[in-house]
Amino acid sequence: SVVSLLNSKVFYVAGNHDFWMRDFLTRELDIHIYKDEFVFEEEGKKFWIYHGDGIAKADKGYRLMKKVFRYPLNIKLYSLLHPDWGIPLAKFVSHTSRKHSRERDLKDEQDYLEYSENLLKNGYDFVILGHRHKPLEHSFQDGKKYLNLGDWIVHNSYGVYENGELKLNYFKR
């Protein structure tokens, strides 16, 4: 998931484990939640921010499952499950997804680069993704850039935009 500070507002781009978020963060903390892409302009630069799940060409089955998981009736039915049943079910689905996606890592990276390059060719200056959990900074022509934020748990990586520059940083303990 991507969290960004922009003019003292917090924007949260939901990821593949955030399908069933309700309005608590918005209602109680004034956090703006985007379930798909978040597009904005800052200092004349156009940003495309998206979690990144479903971008890889091999994710055909996942894209179908995503529609099933996000279907309002299914969200309601899942919310009726007791946590003793719901949490193990969610962990099982998550573990199965991670095991499957690890096997395609290098091919997926190329798909993410192509996806970003297409957006950059169509007027965006920066594409920021996070799904792959691997920090990556890739520069294109004219200062355009693709950033995969990595993760906070293993790599302690995050993106920073300052003075017209987007870069990948690492928190040092």
Side-chain angles (χ1 to χ4, degrees):
S1 301
V2 180
V3 178
S4 173
L5 291 177
L6 178 66
N7 298 328
S8 302
K9 292 181 182 176
V10 177
F11 298 85
Y12 185 93
V13 179
N16 53 309
H17 298 282
D18 303 323
F19 287 147
W20 301 324
M21 292 176 69
R22 296 203 178 174
D23 66 343
F24 174 80
L25 294 174
T26 302
R27 190 181 68 245
E28 299 295 324
L29 303 173
D30 196 30
I31 293 175
H32 305 270
I33 297 173
Y34 293 85
K35 293 185 179 178
D36 290 301
E37 71 277 353
F38 172 42
V39 175
F40 68 95
E41 196 168 318
E42 181 73 18
E43 298 177 359
K45 303 285 186 180
K46 286 182 72 175
F47 290 76
W48 173 280
I49 301 177
Y50 180 59
H51 178 73
D53 56 323
I55 288 175
K57 292 173 186 164
D59 282 344
K60 290 176 189 150
Y62 171 75
R63 286 190 289 272
L64 175 63
M65 288 303 299
K66 185 176 178 178
K67 289 178 183 178
V68 170
F69 288 152
R70 287 189 175 190
Y71 190 70
L73 176 61
N74 293 336
I75 292 171
K76 179 66 176 169
L77 291 172
Y78 180 81
S79 74
L80 297 174
L81 286 176
H82 187 279
D84 289 347
W85 289 79
I87 292 172
L89 176 62
K91 284 183 178 182
F92 171 77
V93 170
S94 174
H95 175 72
T96 303
S97 169
R98 263 195 201 102
K99 182 180 175 191
H100 175 71
S101 63
R102 246 182 265 138
E103 298 166 4
R104 308 184 329 244
D105 197 43
L106 288 175
K107 187 144 182 61
D108 287 356
E109 184 172 308
Q110 185 60 39
D111 292 346
Y112 278 67
L113 283 168
E114 288 175 17
Y115 176 87
S116 299
E117 188 172 23
N118 285 335
L119 287 166
L120 295 168
K121 284 179 181 176
N122 286 303
Y124 292 94
D125 297 291
F126 302 114
V127 174
I128 303 170
L129 304 171
H131 179 66
R132 297 191 63 248
H133 299 266
K134 286 187 166 187
L136 175 66
E137 188 172 348
H138 188 88
S139 296
F140 292 87
Q141 293 178 356
D142 303 327
K144 295 184 176 208
K145 190 175 281 189
Y146 156 55
L147 210 66
N148 193 297
L149 296 176
D151 70 352
W152 188 247
I153 296 170
V154 174
H155 299 99
N156 302 96
S157 52
Y158 61 98
V160 174
Y161 176 74
E162 290 179 314
N163 304 319
E165 294 278 330
L166 178 66
K167 59 186 172 185
L168 198 57
N169 279 357
Y170 296 87
F171 179 75
K172 306 230 184 324
R173 295 176 189 216

